[in-house]
Short mmCIF file of all heavy atoms in Angstrom, two decimals:
data_model
loop_
_atom_site.label_atom_id
_atom_site.label_comp_id
_atom_site.label_asym_id
_atom_site.label_seq_id
_atom_site.Cartn_x
_atom_site.Cartn_y
_atom_site.Cartn_z
N THR A 3 -26.63 3.13 -7.39
CA THR A 3 -28.06 3.07 -7.17
C THR A 3 -28.52 4.25 -6.34
O THR A 3 -27.72 5.08 -5.92
CB THR A 3 -28.45 1.75 -6.47
OG1 THR A 3 -27.72 1.66 -5.24
CG2 THR A 3 -28.14 0.55 -7.34
N ASN A 8 -31.21 1.20 -3.73
CA ASN A 8 -32.40 0.86 -4.51
C ASN A 8 -32.20 1.19 -5.98
O ASN A 8 -31.55 2.15 -6.33
CB ASN A 8 -33.61 1.64 -3.97
CG ASN A 8 -33.91 1.25 -2.55
OD1 ASN A 8 -34.12 0.08 -2.26
ND2 ASN A 8 -33.92 2.22 -1.67
N ALA A 9 -32.81 0.37 -6.80
CA ALA A 9 -32.76 0.55 -8.25
C ALA A 9 -34.13 0.20 -8.81
O ALA A 9 -34.94 -0.44 -8.12
CB ALA A 9 -31.70 -0.36 -8.86
N ILE A 27 -19.74 -12.36 -13.36
CA ILE A 27 -19.45 -10.93 -13.27
C ILE A 27 -19.83 -10.45 -11.87
O ILE A 27 -20.93 -10.72 -11.40
CB ILE A 27 -20.21 -10.14 -14.35
CG1 ILE A 27 -19.70 -10.57 -15.73
CG2 ILE A 27 -20.07 -8.63 -14.14
CD1 ILE A 27 -20.48 -10.01 -16.88
N GLN A 34 -25.24 6.46 -5.20
CA GLN A 34 -24.82 7.64 -5.94
C GLN A 34 -24.87 8.89 -5.07
O GLN A 34 -24.43 9.96 -5.48
CB GLN A 34 -25.69 7.82 -7.19
CG GLN A 34 -27.13 8.13 -6.89
CD GLN A 34 -27.94 8.33 -8.15
OE1 GLN A 34 -27.40 8.49 -9.23
NE2 GLN A 34 -29.25 8.31 -8.01
N THR A 47 -36.62 -3.34 -3.12
CA THR A 47 -35.85 -3.28 -4.37
C THR A 47 -34.39 -3.64 -4.15
O THR A 47 -33.78 -4.34 -4.95
CB THR A 47 -35.95 -1.89 -5.04
OG1 THR A 47 -35.55 -0.90 -4.10
CG2 THR A 47 -37.36 -1.62 -5.50
N LEU A 52 -29.96 -8.12 -4.02
CA LEU A 52 -29.20 -9.04 -3.18
C LEU A 52 -29.52 -10.49 -3.53
O LEU A 52 -28.62 -11.32 -3.65
CB LEU A 52 -29.50 -8.75 -1.71
CG LEU A 52 -28.69 -9.48 -0.67
CD1 LEU A 52 -27.21 -9.13 -0.77
CD2 LEU A 52 -29.21 -9.13 0.73
N ALA A 67 -14.72 1.40 -4.80
CA ALA A 67 -15.18 0.07 -5.19
C ALA A 67 -14.50 -0.40 -6.47
O ALA A 67 -14.06 -1.55 -6.56
CB ALA A 67 -16.70 0.06 -5.37
N THR A 69 -11.57 0.59 -7.66
CA THR A 69 -10.16 0.35 -7.36
C THR A 69 -9.98 -0.98 -6.62
O THR A 69 -9.06 -1.75 -6.92
CB THR A 69 -9.59 1.51 -6.53
OG1 THR A 69 -9.74 2.72 -7.26
CG2 THR A 69 -8.12 1.29 -6.21
N LEU A 71 -11.97 -3.59 -6.75
CA LEU A 71 -12.20 -4.67 -7.71
C LEU A 71 -10.96 -4.90 -8.58
O LEU A 71 -10.55 -6.05 -8.80
CB LEU A 71 -13.41 -4.35 -8.59
CG LEU A 71 -14.77 -4.50 -7.94
CD1 LEU A 71 -15.86 -3.83 -8.80
CD2 LEU A 71 -15.10 -5.96 -7.70
N PHE A 75 -9.04 -8.50 -8.52
CA PHE A 75 -8.91 -9.27 -9.76
C PHE A 75 -7.47 -9.29 -10.25
O PHE A 75 -7.02 -10.26 -10.86
CB PHE A 75 -9.85 -8.74 -10.85
CG PHE A 75 -11.26 -9.25 -10.73
CD1 PHE A 75 -12.30 -8.39 -10.46
CD2 PHE A 75 -11.55 -10.60 -10.88
CE1 PHE A 75 -13.61 -8.85 -10.35
CE2 PHE A 75 -12.84 -11.09 -10.77
CZ PHE A 75 -13.88 -10.20 -10.51
N MET A 79 -7.74 -13.42 -8.26
CA MET A 79 -8.80 -14.03 -7.44
C MET A 79 -9.98 -14.40 -8.33
O MET A 79 -10.26 -13.74 -9.33
CB MET A 79 -9.26 -13.07 -6.36
CG MET A 79 -8.22 -12.82 -5.32
SD MET A 79 -8.91 -11.84 -3.98
CE MET A 79 -7.45 -11.64 -2.98
N GLN A 82 -15.77 -15.53 -6.91
CA GLN A 82 -16.25 -15.84 -5.56
C GLN A 82 -15.30 -15.26 -4.50
O GLN A 82 -15.74 -14.70 -3.50
CB GLN A 82 -16.40 -17.35 -5.36
CG GLN A 82 -17.00 -17.72 -4.02
CD GLN A 82 -18.37 -17.08 -3.79
OE1 GLN A 82 -19.20 -17.02 -4.69
NE2 GLN A 82 -18.60 -16.59 -2.59
N HIS A 87 -13.99 -10.87 -0.49
CA HIS A 87 -13.12 -9.77 -0.08
C HIS A 87 -13.80 -8.41 -0.19
O HIS A 87 -13.45 -7.48 0.53
CB HIS A 87 -11.81 -9.78 -0.89
CG HIS A 87 -10.85 -10.82 -0.43
ND1 HIS A 87 -10.95 -12.14 -0.81
CD2 HIS A 87 -9.77 -10.73 0.38
CE1 HIS A 87 -9.97 -12.81 -0.25
NE2 HIS A 87 -9.24 -12.00 0.48
N LEU A 92 -10.46 -4.13 3.89
CA LEU A 92 -9.06 -4.54 3.79
C LEU A 92 -8.14 -3.57 4.54
O LEU A 92 -7.23 -3.99 5.24
CB LEU A 92 -8.63 -4.66 2.33
CG LEU A 92 -9.42 -5.65 1.47
CD1 LEU A 92 -8.92 -5.62 0.03
CD2 LEU A 92 -9.32 -7.06 2.04
N VAL A 96 -13.95 0.72 3.86
CA VAL A 96 -15.40 0.53 3.91
C VAL A 96 -15.81 0.15 5.33
O VAL A 96 -15.07 -0.53 6.03
CB VAL A 96 -15.85 -0.53 2.88
CG1 VAL A 96 -15.28 -1.89 3.17
CG2 VAL A 96 -17.34 -0.61 2.77
N PRO A 99 -21.32 -3.16 8.52
CA PRO A 99 -22.12 -3.27 9.75
C PRO A 99 -22.08 -4.70 10.32
O PRO A 99 -21.96 -5.66 9.57
CB PRO A 99 -23.53 -2.91 9.28
CG PRO A 99 -23.53 -3.18 7.82
CD PRO A 99 -22.12 -2.98 7.33
#
Side-chain angles (χ1 to χ4, degrees):
T3 57
N8 297 304
I27 296 172
Q34 66 179 346
T47 55
L52 187 62
T69 302
L71 285 166
F75 278 116
M79 292 187 183
Q82 185 57 42
H87 282 81
L92 300 177
V96 63

